[in-house]
């Protein structure tokens, strides 16, 4: 499913978009069962179907790749990380190492391969995250929040360390927190955002259901941020095209980098 003009405009403007109600109730139930059953990543079982779900492939192809690298037999982007979370009512950010401090992959618009940029009429999103919400989410009650537009910031956050990838110590921290946007969505929705955008976890205050979510990270075929640490055996259990999400990070060579193999596996 190709990215629409509306999605493109708001993704560039805000740094994130929401795809509501992508999954049906029948699709959601086995995914929830795996997460509640202890699955910590989405590389196996039914959860792996989220890695290249048709609703996100068109968007990721547009914001992480370009035509010469998009083929029928392989993806023009890579998956480099996955984790799940279950947050019962009352869960708070003290359970995280960052205590919910709003953060980014790197400080604002430093020159690096992870940053958001637009050139030649195309978006390059850098390190990008897809969040699958498997339970209902209510704005203001614990969803991931975003400082919309901050992916284009060119000045520091006002903290003591310009290299810090968060707003810690900023004199403007509360103002930034007050400006952050959230979302409401039914179960089976997906939020997509660039990690160049200031974003944060929040206390889960929805009394009606836990948060049950899958966070998958993506990047271009020529850059990598996370160490994937995924075994060859796990990748080989996937359909052939899905395996190409985990091929090595390179492009220049005979025939290009289009096939996954044990000797062409991202570390």
């Amino acid at each position: 499913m190709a990215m629409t003009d509306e999605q493109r405009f708001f993704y560039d403007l805000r740094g994130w978009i929401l795809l509501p109600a992508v999954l049906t109730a029948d699709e959601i139930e086995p995914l929830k069962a795996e997460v509640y059953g202890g699955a910590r990543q989405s590389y196996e079982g039914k959860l792996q179907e989220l890695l290249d779900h048709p609703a996100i492939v068109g968007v990721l192809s547009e914001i992480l790749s370009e035509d010469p690298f998009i083929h029928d037999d392989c993806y023009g982007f890579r998956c480099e990380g996955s984790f799940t979370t279950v947050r019962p009512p009352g869960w708070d950010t003290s359970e995280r190492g960052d205590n919910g401090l709003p953060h980014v992959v790197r400080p604002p618009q430093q020159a690096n391969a992870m940053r958001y940029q637009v050139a030649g009429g195309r978006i390059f999103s850098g390190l990008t995250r897809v969040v699958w919400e498997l339970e209902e989410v209510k704005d203001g009650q614990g969803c991931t929040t975003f400082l919309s537009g901050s992916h284009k910031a060119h000045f520091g956050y006002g903290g003591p360390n310009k290299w810090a990838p968060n707003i810690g110590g900023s004199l403007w921290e509360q103002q930034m927190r007050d400006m952050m946007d959230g979302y409401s969505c039914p179960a089976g929705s997906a939020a997509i955002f660039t990690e160049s955008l200031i974003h944060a976890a929040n206390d889960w205050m929805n009394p009606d259901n836990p948060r049950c979510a899958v966070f998958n990270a993506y990047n271009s075929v020529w850059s990598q941020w996370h160490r994937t640490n995924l075994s060859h055996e796990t990748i080989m259990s996937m359909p052939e095209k899905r395996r190409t999400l985990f091929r090595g990070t390179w492009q220049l060579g005979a025939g290009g980098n289009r096939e996954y193999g044990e000797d062409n596996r991202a570390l």
Side-chain angles (χ1 to χ4, degrees), residues 161-182:
N161 178 5
K162 73 173 185 177
W163 298 108
N166 57 60
I167 66 172
S170 172
L171 297 176
W172 320 316
E173 179 176 341
Q174 192 57 52
Q175 290 171 265
M176 286 187 276
R177 286 181 179 272
D178 291 344
M179 293 175 64
M180 294 183 77
D181 296 320

Side-chain angles (χ1 to χ4, degrees), residues 17-62:
I17 55 173
L18 181 69
L19 309 181
V22 170
L23 305 175
T24 67
D26 288 342
E27 291 172 321
I28 294 167
E29 288 308 311
L31 302 174
K32 284 169 47 175
E34 290 184 7
V35 176
Y36 286 132
R40 301 185 66 182
Q41 299 163 329
S42 65
Y43 301 134
E44 299 177 282
K46 295 292 289 184
L47 285 169
Q48 68 169 273
E49 296 176 7
L50 298 179
L51 295 171
D52 55 354
H53 191 281
I56 66 170
V57 166
V59 176
L60 295 177
S61 293
E62 176 152 344

Side-chain angles (χ1 to χ4, degrees), residues 37-186:
R40 301 185 66 182
Q41 299 163 329
S42 65
Y43 301 134
E44 299 177 282
K46 295 292 289 184
L47 285 169
Q48 68 169 273
E49 296 176 7
L50 298 179
L51 295 171
D52 55 354
H53 191 281
I56 66 170
V57 166
V59 176
L60 295 177
S61 293
E62 176 152 344
I63 64 177
L64 286 175
S65 190
E66 54 189 343
D67 291 343
F69 300 96
I70 299 174
H71 305 282
D72 291 337
D73 59 347
C74 67
Y75 291 111
F77 53 89
R78 299 173 45 262
C79 177
E80 61 170 62
S82 176
F83 68 90
T84 66
T85 187
V86 175
R87 298 173 183 172
W91 180 93
D92 67 70
T93 55
S94 66
E95 298 187 33
R96 287 174 55 99
D98 64 3
N99 291 304
L101 183 66
H103 59 282
V104 294
V105 60
R106 293 300 303 137
Q109 293 301 79
Q110 301 294 333
N112 60 69
M114 300 301 124
R115 74 179 181 93
Y116 182 93
Q117 54 191 292
V118 176
R122 290 192 67 94
I123 292 170
F124 178 70
S125 185
L127 184 63
T128 299
R129 184 75 62 174
V130 177
V131 184
W132 290 95
E133 301 285 5
L134 302 182
E135 296 277 15
E136 183 182 9
V137 174
K138 298 176 182 177
D139 190 11
Q141 295 191 1
C143 66
T144 302
T145 51
F146 311 106
L147 185 58
S148 296
S150 59
H151 60 309
K152 295 183 177 182
H154 286 83
F155 299 95
Y157 304 138
N161 178 5
K162 73 173 185 177
W163 298 108
N166 57 60
I167 66 172
S170 172
L171 297 176
W172 320 316
E173 179 176 341
Q174 192 57 52
Q175 290 171 265
M176 286 187 276
R177 286 181 179 272
D178 291 344
M179 293 175 64
M180 294 183 77
D181 296 320
Y183 53 87
S184 296
C185 65

Side-chain angles (χ1 to χ4, degrees), residues 43-44 48 51 78-79 228-248 259-267:
Y43 301 134
E44 299 177 282
Q48 68 169 273
L51 295 171
R78 299 173 45 262
C79 177
T228 309
N229 291 324
L230 192 58
S231 73
H232 174 63
E233 291 72 24
T234 298
I235 298 171
M236 286 302 294
S237 70
M238 300 177 182
E240 187 172 3
K241 187 172 182 179
R242 190 171 295 153
R243 296 174 203 162
T244 68
L245 292 172
F246 303 97
R247 63 197 190 273
E259 296 182 7
Y260 168 81
E262 188 169 10
D263 61 350
N264 188 29
R265 174 170 57 97
L267 298 178

